[in-house]
Amino acid sequence: MIQITDFNSGLQQLNQEKLAIAYISQPGCSVCVAVKPQLEARFAKDVPIYHFDGSKFPEVAGHFQALTAPLVVLLSHGKELTRSARFIDYSALTKIIAEFSDEKPDYAELFR
């Protein structure tokens, strides 16, 4: 899990990833404590996970329109694919990540 220490540079890194997870948490959130190890165990080997601490970066709530914590947003090149808040749908995340990894190559690009 990539711990974000600077909001703007972390967001810039996140937006450059082909596929990545933005994980927004708050201190003292018991659900956040339970979700973090689950995300790492299930997805860390497949996609980078960027952790934004909502108490350190209040602007993260506005940027991701986070109304509660934890918030898990799956993005591709900065575009939101899916989001889960509080109750994380791990099977939906797994399915979308698998679909991206099974992506067919662009044959026009291959034969240039």
Side-chain angles (χ1 to χ4, degrees), residues 53-65:
D53 184 335
S55 67
K56 292 180 184 170
F57 308 111
E59 62 269 35
V60 77
H63 181 81
F64 287 105
Q65 299 174 354

Side-chain angles (χ1 to χ4, degrees), residues 71-96:
L71 175 65
V72 175
V73 183
L74 182 65
L75 301 120
S76 176
H77 299 288
K79 306 274 191 236
E80 184 177 321
L81 300 175
T82 187
R83 70 172 44 219
S84 296
R86 287 248 110 338
F87 303 101
I88 310 305
D89 189 350
Y90 296 109
S91 60
L93 278 171
T94 302
K95 182 178 177 183
I96 294 170

